[in-house]
């Protein structure tokens, strides 16, 4: 699967004399997709220039979306190694806690449970870091220690 700069992904490429052509184009977002990854072999996570994080099932049906972050274009998405903190009887959608980095140099924490919130302000997540000198390009955490590394170009 390849993410495009127009919010589409190409699925099922065919090799013909070292040339690739898309078998099917699926439009899944607005603008470039900066993050295309899978979560727990259950969801496809897409995030990008429109500032939204969307989760699709493996048949590309939209399962959950976080569009009210107001943090700018998403440049990275990381997931907690801990099991999801969601009551499965309340919500079918369940992923580990999420941390996103943005081009506006914000880092925002999200829990899957905020997807159930009605008010946009309640769906914005928690601002964890603001004021980096440049856009955030990567976030990594130590598996057993309380350390986090934030990468930018400056």
């Amino acid at each position: 699967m390849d993410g495009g700069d127009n919010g589409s992904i190409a699925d099922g490429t065919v090799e013909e004399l070292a040339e690739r052509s898309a078998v099917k184009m699926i439009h899944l977002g607005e603008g470039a997709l900066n993050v295309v990854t899978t979560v727990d072999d259950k969801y496809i996570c897409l995030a990008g220039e429109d500032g939204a994080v969307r989760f699709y099932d493996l048949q590309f049906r939209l399962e959950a979306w976080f569009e009210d972050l107001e943090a700018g274009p998403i440049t990275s998405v990381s997931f907690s190694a801990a099991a999801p903190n969601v009551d499965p009887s309340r919500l079918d959608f369940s992923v580990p806690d999420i941390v996103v980095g943005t081009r506006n140099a914000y880092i925002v924490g999200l829990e899957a449970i905020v997807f159930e919130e009605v008010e946009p302000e309640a769906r914005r997540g928690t601002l964890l870091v603001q004021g980096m000198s440049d856009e955030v390009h990567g976030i990594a955490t130590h598996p057993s220690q309380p350390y986090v590394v934030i990468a930018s170009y400056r």
Side-chain angles (χ1 to χ4, degrees):
M1 239 181 307
D2 296 318
D5 61 1
N6 63 356
S8 299
I9 62 171
D11 185 27
T13 57
V14 176
E15 300 276 338
E16 288 184 9
L17 303 173
E19 190 175 309
R20 296 171 59 174
S21 61
V23 173
K24 179 180 8 173
M25 293 295 288
I26 305 169
H27 186 76
L28 299 173
E30 299 301 321
L33 296 172
N34 299 328
V35 177
V36 178
T37 189
T38 58
V39 183
D40 297 335
D41 295 326
K42 188 175 178 182
Y43 300 109
I44 300 167
C45 174
L46 303 176
E49 293 299 312
D50 63 358
V53 180
R54 294 182 183 89
F55 292 87
Y56 296 85
D57 68 10
L58 299 180
Q59 265 102 53
F60 297 107
R61 293 178 295 218
L62 186 61
E63 292 287 328
W65 56 94
F66 299 88
E67 298 176 325
D68 297 306
L69 300 180
E70 293 189 1
I74 308 295
T75 56
S76 65
V77 177
S78 296
F79 297 91
S80 171
N85 189 19
V86 175
D87 178 1
S89 66
R90 288 188 56 210
L91 183 66
D92 289 337
F93 174 72
S94 175
V95 296
D97 291 346
I98 307 161
V99 176
V100 300
T102 74
R103 183 156 294 127
N104 293 353
Y106 296 153
I107 299 174
V108 179
L110 290 168
E111 296 177 355
I113 196 72
V114 301
F115 176 65
E116 288 187 338
E117 297 292 339
V118 176
E119 297 298 321
E121 295 82 24
R123 293 191 304 260
R124 290 199 177 117
T126 303
L127 182 61
L128 302 174
V129 175
Q130 178 180 3
M132 297 284 297
S133 62
D134 196 12
E135 62 190 69
V136 176
H137 285 273
I139 303 169
T141 59
H142 191 282
S144 60
Q145 298 292 320
Y147 302 125
V148 64
V149 175
I150 303 166
S152 67
Y153 288 127
R154 289 189 217 175

